């Protein structure tokens, strides 16, 4: 019986075509598709003395954020109605981005420009504008916390490294990445930013980020009036840069509007203004690009 099986296997293999060895040297080098360039429309601008790091919004108010202060403003009139101000160089020293979540402002905070880098999540009540809680992250190899957003049951999070004296001397801005954390802030995965985008943001890093309603990741740099649209790669650890949106906001943190999901609230840092900006639709044509979802 064993000889019969062996003979049958030999006959089967004899009928199988043998492929030639591929010439790996002839395979072309991968070139990522060129991101499309789109234009946004500014809908409104409001003066806000706190418009130095970022902006957030709910259905009735927008919030202007700077290192140790948050201003609460009527989103129709631009009138300042409340706020929070901490001591200069106090326990909260560098608020960067905030997002509104069920009556609370969840804010990224760090000890920037000090090194080594340490970060925390600070919580404020949007009704009273009082500090309501903290989640210390401490020293993290990922860098300085700049932004985060809901992702599944946890978080998608941006960390920054810098090329100047505010960065770790042994890490460049290329080490600033996008990471996944569970609900208890335990890291579960992540990606690096595209090298060309890292060069574009140098010597700084991504200062703001959020997942849009289209399932793509929108990221702001530090000072260039461009919003970068990123997709999840089908494979590998590097995000895909699919679009650049030119707009009247010089980087920093921003937030999607809860009423109109193609509008963001961002800041013009040189003008100390909060601006409502309508974004164009972004098509996803790269076959290797995937949406993040929520």
């Amino acid at each position: 019986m064993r000889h019969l099986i062996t003979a049958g296997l030999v006959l089967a293999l004899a009928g199988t075509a043998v492929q030639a060895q591929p010439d790996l040297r002839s395979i072309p080098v991968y070139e990522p598709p060129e991101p499309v360039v789109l234009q946004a429309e500014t809908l409104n601008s409001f003066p806000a003395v706190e418009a130095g790091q970022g902006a957030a919004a709910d259905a009735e108010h927008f919030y202007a954020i700077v290192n140790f202060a948050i201003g609460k403003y009527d989103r129709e009139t631009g009138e300042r109605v409340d706020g929070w101000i901490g001591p200069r160089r106090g326990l909260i020293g560098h608020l960067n981005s905030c997002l509104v979540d069920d009556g609370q402002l969840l804010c990224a905070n760090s000890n920037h420009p000090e090194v080594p880098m340490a970060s925390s999540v600070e919580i404020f009540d949007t009704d009273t504008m009082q500090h309501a809680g903290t989640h210390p992250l401490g020293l993290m190899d990922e860098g300085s916390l700049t932004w985060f957003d809901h992702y599944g049951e946890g978080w998608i999070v941006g960390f920054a490294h810098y090329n100047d004296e505010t960065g770790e001397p042994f890490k460049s801005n290329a080490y600033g990445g996008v990471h996944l954390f569970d609900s208890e802030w335990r890291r579960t995965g992540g990606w690096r930013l595209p090298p060309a985008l890292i060069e574009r943001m140098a010597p700084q890093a991504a200062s703001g980020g959020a997942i849009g309603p289209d399932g793509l990741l929108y990221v702001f740099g530090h000072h260039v009036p461009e919003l970068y649209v990123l997709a999840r790669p089908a494979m590998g650890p590097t995000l895909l840069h699919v679009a650049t949106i030119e707009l009247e906001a010089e980087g920093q943190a921003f937030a999607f509007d809860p009423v109109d999901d193609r509008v963001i609230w961002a800041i013009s840092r040189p003008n100390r203004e909060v601006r409502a900006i309508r974004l164009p639709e972004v098509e996803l044509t790269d076959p290797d690009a995937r949406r993040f979802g929520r």
Side-chain angles (χ1 to χ4, degrees):
M1 179 64 71
R2 178 179 300 175
H3 294 295
L4 290 175
I5 294 175
T6 302
L9 181 59
V10 170
L11 290 174
L13 290 175
T16 302
V18 178
Q19 291 187 341
Q21 294 284 346
D23 181 6
L24 298 180
R25 295 170 297 180
S26 67
I27 297 175
V29 175
Y30 170 77
E31 292 289 345
E34 193 70 21
V36 298
V37 178
L38 304 170
Q39 188 70 44
E41 175 191 5
T42 301
L43 303 177
N44 217 335
S45 296
F46 301 99
V49 68
E50 304 94 348
Q53 290 294 340
D58 56 31
E60 297 179 352
H61 302 94
F62 67 84
Y63 303 85
I65 302 121
V66 74
N67 296 332
F68 55 89
I70 304 172
K72 178 180 179 180
Y73 293 80
D74 185 287
R75 60 182 283 159
E76 298 298 327
T77 67
E79 178 185 1
R80 191 181 192 279
V81 298
D82 205 348
W84 175 87
I85 300 177
R88 185 183 296 272
R89 298 181 182 176
L91 300 180
I92 294 177
H94 190 74
L95 293 173
N96 196 76
S97 67
C98 298
L99 65 89
V100 179
D101 183 47
D102 195 23
Q104 293 182 322
L105 271 175
L106 309 180
C107 300
N109 174 62
S110 71
N111 65 336
H112 181 80
E114 298 176 7
V115 289
M117 297 174 175
S119 303
S120 65
V121 176
E122 302 299 333
I123 304 169
F124 300 85
D125 186 290
T126 57
D127 287 333
T128 65
M129 290 306 296
Q130 296 298 306
H131 185 258
T134 183
H135 186 92
L137 300 176
L139 300 173
M140 301 190 73
D141 289 338
E142 289 84 356
S144 184
L145 176 66
T146 55
W147 62 268
F148 57 91
D149 197 2
H150 292 287
Y151 188 74
E153 298 298 319
W155 307 98
I156 185 168
V157 185
F159 288 89
H161 282 277
Y162 306 101
N163 294 344
D164 57 19
E165 69 279 2
T166 67
E168 304 282 6
F170 51 89
K171 287 186 176 181
S172 70
N173 73 323
Y175 284 84
V178 176
H179 306 290
L180 298 179
F181 287 77
D182 66 15
S183 60
E184 299 299 320
W185 288 90
R186 295 170 294 202
R187 183 175 168 182
T188 61
W191 302 269
R192 71 166 184 162
L193 294 170
L197 192 55
I198 292 169
E199 292 180 11
R200 203 172 185 90
M201 292 189 292
Q204 308 293 332
S207 293
I211 294 181
D214 54 5
L216 298 174
L217 177 62
Y218 291 72
V219 172
F220 246 149
H222 185 267
H223 57 278
V224 181
E226 298 175 341
L227 187 64
Y228 308 112
V229 188
L230 304 173
R232 182 171 56 87
M235 62 190 81
T238 305
L239 294 170
L240 302 177
H241 180 195
V242 298
T244 296
I245 301 176
E246 298 176 346
L247 72 176
E248 294 179 325
E250 298 84 2
Q252 304 296 320
F254 69 96
F256 279 92
D257 186 84
V259 179
D260 187 335
D261 61 16
R262 289 313 295 173
V263 171
I264 63 168
W265 291 83
I267 66 169
S268 173
R269 186 173 189 171
N271 297 289
R272 279 298 195 263
E273 290 181 348
V274 174
R275 295 176 176 173
I277 300 173
R278 181 173 299 281
L279 302 181
E281 298 289 340
V282 179
E283 295 184 8
L284 201 59
T285 59
D286 185 348
D288 291 324
R290 304 289 185 269
R291 299 182 190 274
F292 287 87
R294 299 296 302 187

